[in-house]
Amino acid sequence: MTVSATWPRAALLSLSDKSGAIEFARALAAGGTKLLASGGTAKHLEQAGVEVTPVEEWTGFPELLGGRVKTLHPHLHAPILARREQAVDMEALESRGIQPIDLVAVTLYPFEQRAGALDDAGAVEEIDIGGVALLRAAAKNHGDVIVVHDPAHYDEVLAALRGGGPSLEQRRAWAARTFSRTARYDAAIASELAARIAPEEPPPVRVIALERVRTLRYGENPHQVAALYARAGEAQGLDAAREGKELSYNNLVDLHAAVALAGAFERPACVIVKHHEPCGVAEADTQAEAWARALAADELSAFGGVVGFNRPLDGTTATEVAKHFVECVAAPEITPEAARAFASKKNLRLVRLGAQELAVADPWSIRLVGPWGLVQRESPSPAPPWPLVTKRPPTREEEAGLRFAWAVAAAARSNAIAIARGSALIGLGSGQTSRVDAVDVALMKARRAGHDVMGAVLASDGFFPFADNVEHAAAAGIAAIVQPGGSVRDAEVIAACDAHGMAMVFTDRRTFRH
């Protein structure tokens, strides 16, 4: 059979993931391509009746070291790397009787999926060497060689071949995707090995790979170009429940904040976020009650906010939410009744998203600040118990409120003060440059929304540097406080609480969010 000028003369297949391999190979062979394949792939194709030449027959050299060495051979890499427009390269192939390889399809050993559950020896055997070398060689010579690293791309490649051959732009795009794949692969290996050396120590080199999920209309502001990326190899955890207005950069930031905080509670919970700050938070026996109490926290700020739930969104709650202007609503599932309740809200973004979908396997978080990368991780140790430091202990109801308020304060921007009544936020002061200002802002917000703060509880994400924080809270009627402690004036602060008959507990752990 004569091969067309745009159809691969020879193709090399070395596939750990063999899904779609038979169909792809048959399509190539139907166009006249000579098929070469490494051991397991060759057997897979032969059993399906596909004519294929095993790699060792092509190279004249058998596999070595139990398969560790099988595709690392000049008779494979030379016909991949040869520049077709360079006569000297083609003469070198011809002098050895080697045909150019115009397509390389490789799926790498599944290191990312398997290594974490294996011992050191097992993890090392999941590191692909020959496959990475083949992909890099083909991607380097993408002007002449088609490179495929994912079975999901088979149809795209075949369509291009049948359409007269891929353009240079397509070849370059496939090469770029391939180099991204090998970079992700190396990043996973580096991270896994570093974690095995000292899992609780910052690694000497931090490698992270991100895959673009979609472009965004713009960034935080209309003049900024932006896109959404996901950690390579991990679920994106973002599923629009209906077609509609595109999620924006700011929507995504707020969705993460709302859904993550909602997921911190055991009972039905609702979180309303505005500009990355929780302006409404409540936990209740029913979802509808949680929404109503969260909205009541600060209805003024909730206008145009992002709402997150930790339970499937029901029709009753959705009907109430639909009476207000919100940008996005997220829940682990959206019931048909809930979807119908929002049918008239054409600009509202409805998203299926649960807190578990925001979890990442990597315990280390990274933040880029100009030329710096700041890396940190949560302590693997459980939070310490809360010691009582005042003469009066909190009542059972106050303690429950303190734990709720502490969860909210931990999710807000420092300096943060959260005032709660029961399991509902009634006032939040966050992002302030002084802690007493944060207290005053939280009290102001509570009063503006019509809440009675008498007998309410207060949480502070950092210690009280002065007793003025307590004095302002006591004057408003706050009954109990939780704070990390650790100030040089702790004794003065505790004495102020005792003087007002207030309860105070320390957490011995702060929760700053800069």
Side-chain angles (χ1 to χ4, degrees):
M1 180 181 295
T2 302
V3 180
S4 73
T6 58
W7 202 268
R9 287 162 285 190
L12 171 60
L13 282 64
S14 182
L15 307 169
S16 176
D17 178 357
K18 297 177 178 60
S19 56
I22 294 170
E23 296 77 9
F24 185 56
R26 282 177 174 159
L28 291 173
T33 299
K34 180 180 181 62
L35 299 177
L36 318 175
S38 57
T41 305
K43 290 179 182 177
H44 181 71
L45 297 178
E46 286 170 349
Q47 289 171 357
V50 178
E51 185 177 349
V52 61
T53 300
V55 160
E56 55 264 33
E57 288 186 21
W58 176 272
T59 62
F61 209 88
E63 293 184 6
L64 289 177
L65 311 180
R68 275 192 165 198
V69 178
K70 52 179 175 278
T71 58
L72 296 170
H73 195 282
H75 283 192
L76 292 175
H77 286 271
I80 293 171
L81 285 165
R83 294 157 291 189
R84 284 22 173 196
E85 77 284 0
Q86 295 286 333
V88 65
D89 285 8
M90 300 311 291
E91 289 168 2
L93 294 186
E94 187 176 354
S95 68
R96 291 166 174 78
I98 306 172
Q99 185 178 4
I101 296 175
D102 299 326
L103 184 149
V104 173
V106 175
T107 54
L108 302 174
Y109 295 171
F111 180 90
E112 299 99 325
Q113 290 76 28
R114 295 181 183 173
L118 299 173
D119 60 16
D120 287 353
V124 164
E125 291 307 317
E126 292 296 332
I127 298 175
D128 201 322
I129 301 300
V132 172
L134 289 173
L135 286 176
R136 289 178 59 83
K140 175 175 180 174
N141 202 26
H142 62 268
D144 295 315
V145 180
I146 295 169
V147 60
V148 189
H149 75 272
D150 188 333
H153 302 157
Y154 290 162
D155 288 344
E156 180 183 348
V157 169
L158 290 172
L161 289 172
R162 290 164 179 156
S167 65
L168 179 59
E169 288 71 22
Q170 285 177 302
R171 291 172 174 272
R172 185 178 293 119
W174 295 335
R177 289 194 304 205
T178 298
F179 280 121
S180 295
R181 173 67 185 120
T182 59
R184 296 196 311 269
Y185 197 71
D186 284 340
I189 296 168
S191 297
E192 179 66 28
L193 296 184
R196 290 173 185 249
I197 297 169
E200 296 182 14
E201 294 296 323
V205 176
R206 183 65 192 151
V207 182
I208 184 169
L210 302 175
E211 292 179 313
R212 193 179 74 190
V213 176
R214 69 186 69 168
T215 57
L216 301 172
R217 286 185 298 158
Y218 52 80
E220 289 180 278
N221 301 289
H223 67 278
Q224 294 171 291
V225 178
L228 169 65
Y229 287 76
R231 290 172 183 260
E234 296 192 8
Q236 297 169 12
L238 191 66
D239 178 20
R242 70 174 189 200
E243 294 299 321
K245 194 173 181 181
E246 181 187 353
L247 288 165
S248 72
Y249 183 106
N250 295 333
N251 291 156
L252 292 166
V253 172
D254 288 349
L255 276 170
H256 185 281
V259 172
L261 180 53
F265 301 107
E266 294 184 2
R267 292 194 296 156
C270 174
V271 176
I272 306 171
V273 168
K274 188 75 171 290
H275 292 288
H276 205 206
E277 293 297 295
C279 61
V281 186
E283 187 184 27
D285 292 333
T286 68
Q287 189 178 68
E289 183 186 0
W291 156 256
R293 297 178 71 193
L295 179 66
D298 186 357
E299 188 168 352
L300 180 64
S301 295
F303 181 83
V306 168
V307 184
F309 293 97
N310 66 348
R311 296 286 196 283
L313 183 59
D314 60 57
T316 300
T317 306
T319 298
E320 293 302 312
V321 176
K323 296 176 182 178
H324 301 268
F325 171 60
V326 295
E327 289 274 357
C328 307
V329 177
E333 293 292 338
I334 309 295
T335 65
E337 296 79 10
R340 285 196 292 271
F342 291 120
S344 64
K345 301 285 185 177
K346 300 302 182 184
N347 289 329
L348 182 140
R349 292 86 156 179
L350 199 53
V351 182
R352 293 187 191 93
L353 185 64
Q356 70 279 0
E357 295 169 285
L358 298 178
V360 294
D362 187 355
W364 295 94
S365 64
I366 184 167
R367 181 176 179 181
L368 300 180
V369 183
W372 306 325
L374 301 175
V375 176
Q376 65 177 352
R377 65 170 294 172
E378 288 294 331
S379 170
S381 304
W386 291 4
L388 173 68
V389 296
T390 52
K391 295 176 182 178
R392 182 177 81 80
T395 65
R396 180 178 298 179
E397 293 76 14
E398 287 170 349
E399 182 174 356
L402 289 172
R403 292 193 179 277
F404 175 86
W406 178 252
V408 177
R413 189 72 63 188
S414 300
N415 286 318
I417 296 291
I419 300 174
R421 183 174 299 283
S423 56
L425 178 69
I426 61 173
L428 180 73
S430 62
Q432 301 303 307
T433 52
S434 81
R435 193 153 299 276
V436 71
D437 283 349
V439 172
D440 290 343
V441 169
L443 291 170
M444 179 274 291
K445 291 261 190 169
R447 290 167 175 148
R448 187 182 68 185
H451 297 294
D452 180 7
V453 298
M454 185 66 65
V457 301
L458 179 151
S460 172
D461 68 343
F463 65 61
F464 285 162
F466 302 100
D468 54 357
N469 299 272
V470 172
E471 297 296 341
H472 287 217
I478 297 296
I481 293 174
V482 59
Q483 57 125 329
S487 167
V488 296
R489 293 184 175 85
D490 274 350
E492 176 185 326
V493 171
I494 294 168
C497 283
D498 285 336
H500 291 287
M502 301 167 72
M504 178 181 283
V505 292
F506 282 179
T507 64
D508 291 336
R509 178 177 286 186
R510 77 180 190 190
T511 57
F512 276 0
R513 286 185 66 251
H514 274 53

